[in-house]
Amino acid sequence: MTDALKRLSDEGVAIWLDDLSRKRITSGNLAELIDQSHVVGVTTNPSIFQKAISSGDGYEQQLADLAARKVTVDEAIRMITTADVRDAADILRPVYDRTDGQDGRVSIEVDPRLAHNTTATIAEAKQLAWLVDRPNTLIKIPATKAGLPAITEVIGKGISVNVTLIFSLERYREVMDAYLAGLEKAKAAGLDLSLIHSVASFFVSRVDSEIDKRLDAVGTDEAKALKGKAALANARLAYEAYEELFASDRWNALERVGANKQRALWASTGVKDPAYKDTLYVVDLVAPNTVNTMPEATLEATADHGEITGDTVRATYDQSRAELDAVAKLGISYDDVVQLLEDEGVEKFEASWNDLLKSTEAELERLAPTEA
């Protein structure tokens, strides 16, 4: 079952699981996926935590203890989520040690309500790093305009970062620039750059969902022929940008003093359109030194019938540019699509966080001890 996953790993794609719950930790499922399915990292987000905690499975005792202490709902959520991330990080610690810190990583996101507040994002990232207190944690910071200086500042303090919600090529270049600026700050502060790691989470499937919808509205045969191509083209050109930046003199100066490349991470790799093969955003995005964070269904589909044929990115740059140009010629604005997706991404995570606040508050009230 895992030959395809092994081949994927051998091609330089780190397989991370895009899910976490207490049940997955305590049942041994996460350890099993590491042992049997080549999983070497875990990502979380507000939607994942909302689903996990709202299910109630495994959280009741901690919620009861938190209710007895009369903590605020915000504190309760942070205590619960950081406990899960800490435990997952401990399970992945052998992978972290084996890979010199590159993998074995668990990501936890800053409060999505802070996405447009640089100062608060920096403070939250520092607090999360302190709370989890594991070297194999990545703090997730959204790639909003306000997030960019936060990335630089947090990296500059020696905290490893997963930059999330990247949709556009321009923003991706800004993210890589923010990472290098952070490394330069860390170097100036005398920090050990070899201990700082980062990934840049470039979102894939949502690009097709939005552009396909607009192609359907155009309705021509030419438009229909372009469906399912924009997301891959966008991600592949992101990898071209990655190759360009990490061959630059600026990067080489940092690499000489021990800095690690910021890997491209393919996020949102579960296929939304059932007309497409369920492994599309895995098998067609194979390139060295990348990460693919998969929902479990995508992981299982890849293990079962994924066809890994080697690098499927670096020979496609001209074709990818032509496909995005063809979409633009039909009147579909790339800039409009990627900005919409960024805005929606922040809004969806904030909505999930608010749902989590409400459901957790209700549980704290239900479990609160009655006063004598």
Side-chain angles (χ1 to χ4, degrees):
M1 282 287 286
T2 59
D3 283 351
L5 297 177
K6 182 180 186 305
R7 287 196 296 275
L8 189 63
S9 299
D10 290 345
E11 290 291 340
V13 181
I15 299 167
W16 290 8
L17 178 70
D18 193 27
D19 190 53
L20 186 64
S21 68
R22 189 152 301 175
K23 184 176 181 181
R24 195 181 284 284
I25 292 167
T26 58
S27 68
N29 173 261
L30 177 58
E32 184 178 290
L33 290 172
I34 296 165
D35 290 340
Q36 299 180 15
S37 298
H38 302 275
V39 169
V40 293
V42 169
T43 49
T44 66
N45 62 46
S47 299
I48 285 170
F49 276 130
Q50 192 272 332
K51 180 182 175 184
I53 296 170
S54 297
S55 74
D57 203 347
Y59 296 98
E60 182 122 338
Q61 184 58 59
Q62 188 177 12
L63 281 163
D65 291 344
L66 292 166
R69 289 174 49 213
K70 298 181 180 179
V71 304
T72 66
V73 63
D74 286 274
E75 183 182 354
I77 289 170
R78 275 312 180 205
M79 296 305 291
I80 292 167
T81 56
T82 54
D84 279 359
V85 169
R86 191 179 305 114
D87 288 344
D90 287 344
I91 293 169
L92 279 154
R93 183 59 187 263
V95 177
Y96 170 84
D97 292 337
R98 187 177 73 241
T99 61
D100 292 326
Q102 177 158 270
D103 288 308
R105 295 280 177 173
V106 186
S107 298
I108 184 168
E109 190 140 359
V110 296
D111 185 331
R113 295 172 297 179
L114 308 178
H116 302 295
N117 185 326
T118 302
T119 302
T121 294
I122 294 166
E124 170 92 341
K126 289 159 60 180
Q127 173 75 357
L128 284 174
W130 177 83
L131 268 176
V132 177
D133 193 27
R134 294 294 185 272
N136 50 330
T137 308
L138 291 171
I139 307 302
K140 291 181 82 172
I141 297 176
T144 56
K145 278 292 186 186
L148 294 171
I151 293 159
T152 295
E153 190 67 24
V154 172
I155 290 289
K157 294 184 181 302
I159 298 170
S160 295
V161 171
N162 176 344
V163 184
T164 187
L165 290 176
I166 307 171
F167 295 94
S168 82
L169 296 169
E170 179 184 1
R171 184 57 51 84
Y172 178 47
R173 291 188 182 95
E174 291 174 335
V175 164
M176 291 189 288
D177 180 74
Y179 174 60
L180 265 58
L183 289 175
E184 288 159 352
K185 284 178 75 85
K187 178 186 174 186
L191 300 182
D192 184 350
L193 300 194
S194 71
L195 300 178
I196 304 171
H197 286 260
S198 183
V199 295
S201 295
F202 200 88
F203 278 54
V204 185
S205 67
R206 295 186 195 181
V207 173
D208 270 343
S209 296
E210 182 60 32
I211 288 183
D212 283 0
K213 182 170 66 177
R214 299 184 186 206
L215 290 169
D216 281 335
V218 174
T220 63
D221 289 343
E222 183 185 7
K224 291 174 185 175
L226 287 167
K227 288 183 65 177
K229 294 184 176 178
L232 288 174
N234 198 38
R236 287 163 166 172
L237 292 175
Y239 192 79
E240 182 186 40
Y242 158 86
E243 289 196 303
E244 289 171 356
L245 184 130
F246 288 104
S248 67
D249 290 342
R250 183 185 180 194
W251 164 250
N252 290 335
L254 289 164
E255 188 174 42
R256 281 195 293 272
V257 291
N260 300 290
K261 290 179 180 177
Q262 181 187 56
R263 286 184 293 172
L265 178 151
W266 311 128
S268 182
T269 56
V271 172
K272 305 285 194 293
D273 189 332
Y276 302 152
K277 62 184 179 183
D278 52 5
T279 60
L280 178 67
Y281 304 125
V282 178
V283 301
D284 287 344
L285 286 175
V286 177
N289 205 35
T290 56
V291 179
N292 195 307
T293 184
M294 309 179 202
E296 191 167 21
T298 304
L299 180 74
E300 290 174 349
T302 303
D304 181 63
H305 52 266
E307 297 179 9
I308 309 303
T309 58
D311 188 329
T312 51
V313 172
R314 287 186 289 183
T316 69
Y317 298 151
D318 289 342
Q319 175 192 341
S320 296
R321 261 186 290 276
E323 286 167 349
L324 289 186
D325 286 347
V327 169
K329 286 174 183 174
L330 293 174
I332 296 171
S333 167
Y334 176 86
D335 290 342
D336 181 65
V337 167
V338 294
Q339 187 60 55
L340 174 70
L341 291 172
E342 180 186 304
D343 294 342
E344 285 184 348
V346 173
E347 289 167 8
K348 286 175 182 177
F349 280 169
E350 187 171 340
S352 293
W353 196 257
N354 287 330
D355 288 345
L356 179 55
L357 286 168
K358 290 174 188 173
S359 58
T360 302
E361 189 169 37
E363 282 297 286
L364 292 172
E365 290 173 359
R366 182 179 71 82
L367 296 165
T370 54
E371 300 292 338

